[in-house]
Amino acid sequence: QVLLVESGGGLVQAGGSLKLSCAASGRSVSSYAMGWFRQAPGKEREFVAAISWFGGETFYVDSVKGRFTVSRDNAKDTAYLEMNMLEPEDTAIYYCAAGGASWSGASADIQMAYQYWGQGTQVTVSS
């Protein structure tokens, strides 16, 4: 089993930055793809970014390209989401997730590709 815990959320002004962390415990997630999703009030959960298990491929929703960077440190079983130039529309609860054998680049943005999910961390961007 894998337990994922997000941290690093908070309140930031528009144009600011935050770096989220997703720490895994239990079995290692070194062979899992890691994804980030977010959900704003009244909206469906949305794919944000993902990184392959080997770290060589990254994926982003169009709205965050050029502003967010997903990375991982397998030695620490931790994934990161660095968020820059934050906008009020980025306000949401951010969730990390781990995807095993069912994951591929083609399914990086599909929730069903991920088997383990964290509890989320709130990111609020004020204008």
Side-chain angles (χ1 to χ4, degrees):
Q1 298 299 108
V2 177
L3 175 66
L4 304 175
V5 179
E6 303 95 336
S7 63
L11 175 65
V12 64
Q13 290 186 314
S17 300
L18 285 173
K19 187 174 183 178
L20 306 183
S21 297
C22 176
S25 60
R27 67 176 295 177
S28 173
V29 293
S30 61
S31 62
Y32 286 73
M34 299 297 295
W36 289 92
F37 294 76
R38 66 187 181 187
Q39 187 167 23
K43 300 180 67 176
E44 295 183 0
R45 187 171 296 183
E46 173 191 35
F47 169 77
V48 178
I51 185 167
S52 62
W53 66 268
F54 54 90
E57 295 181 318
T58 57
F59 306 85
Y60 300 93
V61 66
D62 286 346
S63 61
V64 308
K65 288 181 179 177
R67 300 189 297 121
F68 291 11
T69 301
V70 62
S71 61
R72 67 189 300 160
D73 185 342
N74 282 351
K76 298 180 179 179
D77 274 333
T78 301
Y80 304 94
L81 184 67
E82 185 172 359
M83 305 181 294
N84 301 306
M85 297 181 290
L86 283 162
E87 304 168 354
E89 67 189 39
D90 296 316
T91 295
I93 299 174
Y94 283 71
Y95 301 88
C96 67
S102 63
W103 186 94
S104 69
S107 63
D109 61 342
I110 300 175
Q111 295 182 51
M112 286 182 58
Y114 301 88
Q115 290 76 58
Y116 301 98
W117 293 79
Q119 293 298 305
T121 185
Q122 177 71 47
V123 172
T124 302
V125 184
S126 64
S127 60

